[in-house]
Amino acid sequence: MTDRRVLVQGGGDVGSAVAHRLFSCGWRVLISERSQSAHARRGMAFTDALFDGVALLAGVQARWLPDLAGVEACWQAGDAVPIVTLSENLLAPIRFEVIIDATMRRDCMRPDLRAQTDLFIGLGPGYVPGQNCHVAVETQWGSSMGAVLYDRPAAARSGGPYALAGVTRGRFAIAPCAGVWRTVATLGQDVQAGDPVGQLQEHVIRAPIAGKLRGLTRDGVEVREGQRVVEVDPRREPQITGLGERPLAIARGVESLLDVASRSRSGERR
């Protein structure tokens, strides 16, 4: 295992896929995430480690750890991806050679962390190499998904979610208000259109279409208005768990970028 350390900010399906790929390649990876993550595609991410202590994704385990000593021990053991909910200030004692923003924010704010690391990689819209990141990776669907961008910005967000069996936005249920999400449903559960799936304050949230629950925010999590809390997959063979097509493409792009950076670094040392 390499001694180089990578911080992945964001433990959703994209951040988890990136961490999964880099861990499998021998990097010392750390995921930082909010303690009350509302990420709905929990079967395709390490999200449940924040609540259950551990989570398994495509054969790789993530383990929630309360402090930096636990992170170092986890790296030494090499048997899991550590995930923390510590602030950036508390992570400061660790020198990360690479930081990756995989939060996939929908707002226009993008942090510029180039001064904090040798290589800051920005994933998706809003990142411009040379302005707020060293290198960007394309996250939008299309022939360039996962492409490493050295001299042009990542494409702006457009077109809405990718269609599954022809259904785009219609497969999601959106939080009508902020509050604590309550549900007794389970990922992978069969639902019919209109079935109650959960509740947010006085609002009953219903399945928008028939299919299987591909996304379901964890019970008891505080959500914001407009957040996706339910996703139904209408396909005959839905994907509920594992590495999704888009997250995996992005993760492969990051992997190829770090391979190039590692070879370049090795050449400089000779």
Side-chain angles (χ1 to χ4, degrees), residues 133-149:
C133 65
H134 291 110
V135 188
V137 174
E138 185 58 71
T139 63
Q140 298 291 73
W141 284 95
S143 60
S144 295
M145 185 169 64
V148 178
L149 310 174

Side-chain angles (χ1 to χ4, degrees), residues 9-12 14-15 32-33 100-106 109-111 123 127:
Q9 298 177 318
V14 172
S32 65
E33 180 58 289
I100 302 166
D101 180 8
T103 55
M104 310 300 290
R105 293 178 176 87
R106 292 183 176 276
M109 301 299 293
R110 296 293 181 272
L123 304 186
Y127 275 113

